[in-house]
Amino acid sequence: MTLVIAHRGASGYRPEHSRSAYELAIDLGADAIEPDLVPTKDGVLVLRHENEISGTTDVADHPEFAARRTTKVVDGNRLSGWFTEDFTWDELTVLRTRERLPALRPRSAEHDGEDPVLRLEDLLAILDAAPRPVALVAEVKHATYFDSIGLPMGELVDGVVGGAGWRGDERLTFECFEKGVLRDIGSRGAGGRLVYLQEARGSAADEVASHGRAAPTYADERTDGALARLAEEFDGISLDLKTLMAGTDPVALDDPRPVRSDVVERAHAVGLAVFTWTLRPENRFLPAPLRRGGDAAAHGDWERWFTSVVRTGVDGVFADHADLAVRARSLAEERGAGVGGPA
């Protein structure tokens, strides 16, 4: 069965990575929650999509932190703002979460300021208290960058997992756009599945750090031979939707034709699970033929898109609206489409 993974919680309905987003995602039927992990300068793993936090918190409204605004280069990208690694955990506790896309999701923005920033251990406690088993699919961010400033992500992750009693828990999955930190987490015995994230283009930051211009691209790592080598170390790969659906047109709900994804079939053939990101129902995020009307925030023909993705046999889908992804999975199953692979 294709897993429905709540992308940063129920981020289509509440500010991402907030307690209310996580708890609502559980209520909406998500099989797993996806947080992003970034560290503070005192080594606390906090739940933010990026270490630059001006878009998802009210940090800019705090005059006591005005001098912390700075510009950095992270994984080759020049960014300006406020960064978690320049704050202690105690300092971050005064911040409140905000909707990242307020113009697109004004109802979510109505909840701005309600929730504090959370740590990884806070989310683990939420999952432990859930009325049913809910898994964790945690993305480790910018591992090479953080290692370079004395914040080793593998060690920090392992410490929280062990301290929270989650070591070896079958609910655990770790993912990253870099292989090195996944190997590190695996070698420490934290347990869980290890999933290699791949962008459509470019190269992994740890590969660039090691090999410079000779670094393999993510596309190089999707050849048959490269996938077989990845399967020797990792449990799965995670791809953007355009890569997953390349050459594949969405089909109508009542269309009996199979939905094929070349990369899903080739990855499954060597024993790799395949995940994809991110299902969103708004016109802004849908393929052009599935958009309805001129409002970017309005929902288009998301059912056709979501069910077509599920019908490829992908093992897990990340979704901002977990309830819609759960419905799409049910629709695909009702039509006899096989879902899921070796995961």
Side-chain angles (χ1 to χ4, degrees), residues 146-157:
F146 287 126
D147 187 66
S148 74
I149 60 173
L151 292 166
M153 292 297 282
E155 179 181 331
L156 296 178
V157 167

Side-chain angles (χ1 to χ4, degrees), residues 64-79:
E64 69 271 29
F65 298 141
R68 305 282 180 94
R69 192 177 192 279
T70 188
T71 298
K72 301 188 179 190
V73 177
V74 180
D75 293 349
N77 297 311
R78 187 176 179 86
L79 304 168

Side-chain angles (χ1 to χ4, degrees), residues 14-197:
R14 298 290 188 275
E16 63 186 42
H17 292 314
S18 63
R19 176 177 291 274
S20 58
Y22 294 138
E23 293 178 342
L24 179 57
I26 293 170
D27 291 342
L28 294 177
D31 302 305
I33 304 292
E34 185 256 1
D36 298 297
L37 310 181
V38 293
T40 64
K41 69 179 179 181
D42 51 346
V44 176
L45 291 176
V46 294
L47 309 180
R48 294 287 91 197
H49 175 52
E50 289 291 344
N51 51 326
E52 200 292 294
I53 55 174
S54 62
T56 60
T57 74
D58 61 355
V59 64
D61 296 338
H62 287 260
E64 69 271 29
F65 298 141
R68 305 282 180 94
R69 192 177 192 279
T70 188
T71 298
K72 301 188 179 190
V73 177
V74 180
D75 293 349
N77 297 311
R78 187 176 179 86
L79 304 168
S80 295
W82 288 262
F83 296 81
T84 59
E85 65 268 26
D86 295 331
F87 293 81
T88 65
W89 164 241
D90 283 345
E91 289 173 327
L92 289 184
T93 61
V94 305
L95 303 184
R96 293 297 179 267
T97 60
R98 282 186 172 175
E99 170 55 46
R100 185 174 58 90
L101 303 170
L104 195 70
R105 294 171 174 171
R107 290 187 178 180
S108 175
E110 292 175 0
H111 298 276
D112 285 358
E114 293 179 355
D115 289 328
V117 174
L118 298 180
R119 304 165 296 175
L120 175 56
E121 50 261 52
D122 299 322
L123 177 54
L124 296 180
I126 291 171
L127 297 180
D128 281 335
R132 56 184 174 81
V134 180
L136 181 83
V137 181
E139 181 180 346
V140 181
K141 306 292 287 197
H142 308 303
T144 296
Y145 165 76
F146 287 126
D147 187 66
S148 74
I149 60 173
L151 292 166
M153 292 297 282
E155 179 181 331
L156 296 178
V157 167
D158 184 62
V160 175
V161 168
W166 273 63
R167 184 178 301 280
D169 197 297
E170 63 181 10
R171 293 173 291 175
L172 278 176
T173 296
F174 297 106
E175 58 177 4
C176 187
F177 285 103
E178 304 175 44
K179 297 188 290 292
V181 71
L182 295 176
R183 295 180 181 120
D184 185 27
I185 291 171
S187 71
R188 293 175 182 276
R193 295 192 296 179
L194 302 176
V195 173
Y196 182 39
L197 281 157

Side-chain angles (χ1 to χ4, degrees), residues 210-224:
S210 297
H211 304 293
R213 293 185 177 182
T217 66
Y218 287 116
D220 293 335
E221 296 181 299
R222 288 192 289 273
T223 65
D224 290 345

